[in-house]
Amino acid sequence: MSLQGVYGQRLGQPLHLKDAPSLITRSLRSAALAVTETRDDNPAPGLSGSFPSEDAYLVSLKFRDYRDCECWERGRCVIKTDVRAGATYLYDLKRDPRYLIDKPFHSLFFYLPRTALDDIAKQTGAPRIGELGYQPGIGHDDAVVRHLGASFLEALRRPDETNQLFVDHMMLAFAAHVAQTYGGLQRIIDPHRGGLAPWQAKRACERLESNLDGKLSLEQIAAEFDLSVSHFSRAFRISTGLPPHQWLLRQRVEAAKRLMTVRDLPLSEIAISAGFAHQSHFTRVFSAAVGVSPGAWRREAHGVPEGAL
């Protein structure tokens, strides 16, 4: 049984990759969840190595076609098929999934251990999930995984700009989707359908606002109220109208606006003070949220003609 999980280099090594960037969350108390990017534009031909065996699944989103893919399980070829870009494929790590590497490939692999599926079922009051439903080498047209995958791919491209709250929220959404779509999870009516108590909402917002860099995890905040991450995230959104990571981005923008009332502060300093990774990150987020660049907003706020600041 693997104690570390099949992600990052533990996933990249059997695919003969030197680099396999990943994002990890521990928003479920029972297990880590992770997403890893795998890409090789000029692979050395040969059968992939074996992944560490454990009671867990890999869910893969493919970004390029891979014709005549030879898929192996338990030491033998089980199917030869065309893998389609944009499709989702499942792998059971108990079955020693492997494939013949003889063409360029580019994929995301989501690591989903059995303990995470059990935790999701427990939190929703549903029966334990059995084996996920899939056939080796058969892809699924899954728009939700495509959407989440695109968001994660962008986050992997800019790891210094990706806050932990975003990773926690999106991975929890991914795990719940897989549990329902491929595991038959039946959601039970949640007895905690309301928002946070006013004192809880106030304290949660204060905790987030005091950590604008986003390094505080959902698990840490939820634990302060003795709530599961999924319950806390849902209740926070009901109370504030936004999920925690989006609420945090709004607070960063508001903090930057307050700092920009001080004319002599450079934008690069404001960016760091407001929790952004750097000035270009600040400019991109601020412009998307407000509709104008930080420089233009500051000029307008001070009534200064363009070019004077």
Side-chain angles (χ1 to χ4, degrees):
M1 180 73 157
S2 167
L3 296 178
Q4 296 179 322
V6 182
Y7 51 84
Q9 277 307 115
R10 286 171 63 83
L11 189 148
Q13 187 174 3
L15 301 178
H16 317 305
L17 297 174
K18 293 181 180 178
D19 184 38
S22 62
L23 297 170
I24 306 161
T25 179
R26 291 177 173 82
S27 54
L28 290 173
R29 296 175 187 177
S30 60
L33 303 172
V35 58
T36 302
E37 182 182 9
T38 62
R39 180 171 184 169
D40 195 336
D41 295 328
N42 188 29
L47 191 64
S48 66
S50 290
F51 299 111
S53 178
E54 65 170 279
D55 195 358
Y57 294 90
L58 294 175
V59 180
S60 182
L61 173 65
K62 308 301 184 183
F63 293 114
R64 65 187 304 168
D65 291 333
Y66 197 97
R67 293 185 61 82
D68 297 323
C69 181
E70 194 173 296
C71 304
W72 289 55
E73 282 194 345
R74 294 172 174 147
R76 64 184 183 88
C77 179
V78 292
I79 190 172
K80 191 171 184 178
T81 185
D82 293 341
V83 167
R84 297 173 291 112
T88 295
Y89 295 80
L90 279 70
Y91 306 89
D92 186 341
L93 286 171
K94 299 189 302 299
R95 301 184 184 182
D96 186 24
R98 304 169 74 182
Y99 67 92
L100 185 64
I101 299 174
D102 58 359
K103 289 175 283 292
F105 61 87
H106 185 200
S107 308
L108 283 183
F109 282 89
F110 294 87
Y111 168 70
L112 184 60
R114 159 59 56 190
T115 49
L117 292 172
D118 290 345
D119 204 3
I120 290 169
K122 184 178 179 181
Q123 287 184 18
T124 57
R128 186 176 187 269
I129 298 167
E131 297 296 325
L132 298 187
Y134 81 100
Q135 292 176 275
I138 304 302
H140 302 267
D141 182 15
D142 194 322
V144 173
V145 173
R146 280 199 300 275
H147 170 73
L148 292 171
S151 298
F152 276 119
L153 194 61
E154 184 69 16
L156 285 159
R157 292 280 183 273
R158 298 188 173 110
D160 56 337
E161 299 178 14
T162 303
N163 70 68
Q164 190 61 44
L165 293 175
F166 167 82
V167 178
D168 292 349
H169 177 82
M170 297 293 276
M171 283 301 299
L172 198 62
F174 163 80
H177 169 72
V178 171
Q180 287 182 277
T181 305
Y182 305 102
L185 176 71
Q186 298 296 317
R187 283 196 173 274
I188 307 300
I189 295 176
D190 191 344
H192 308 289
R193 284 178 293 174
L196 297 170
W199 71 269
Q200 291 176 319
K202 181 175 182 293
R203 187 161 137 195
C205 289
E206 288 172 349
R207 291 284 281 132
L208 288 169
E209 201 162 12
S210 65
N211 290 270
L212 288 177
D213 58 8
K215 293 181 180 177
L216 193 66
S217 71
L218 281 179
E219 182 186 23
Q220 289 172 290
I221 304 174
E224 293 187 18
F225 307 110
D226 196 28
L227 299 174
S228 70
V229 171
S230 57
H231 180 187
F232 170 76
S233 298
R234 186 167 55 251
F236 185 92
R237 183 169 191 162
I238 292 170
S239 294
T240 66
L242 292 170
H245 71 281
Q246 290 185 7
W247 189 92
L248 180 70
L249 283 180
R250 178 176 289 184
Q251 300 317 302
R252 287 178 176 174
V253 169
E254 293 305 314
K257 286 180 177 179
R258 291 192 293 271
L259 290 168
M260 281 192 289
T261 62
V262 182
R263 292 192 186 192
D264 59 350
L265 280 178
L267 292 179
S268 58
E269 185 176 329
I270 289 172
I272 300 301
S273 298
F276 295 97
H278 40 67
Q279 187 174 340
S280 63
H281 179 211
F282 168 44
T283 299
R284 186 162 51 252
V285 173
F286 188 95
S287 300
V290 181
V292 296
S293 69
W297 186 91
R298 181 158 64 174
R299 287 191 294 271
E300 185 177 345
H302 289 290
V304 177
E306 188 170 351
L309 271 180

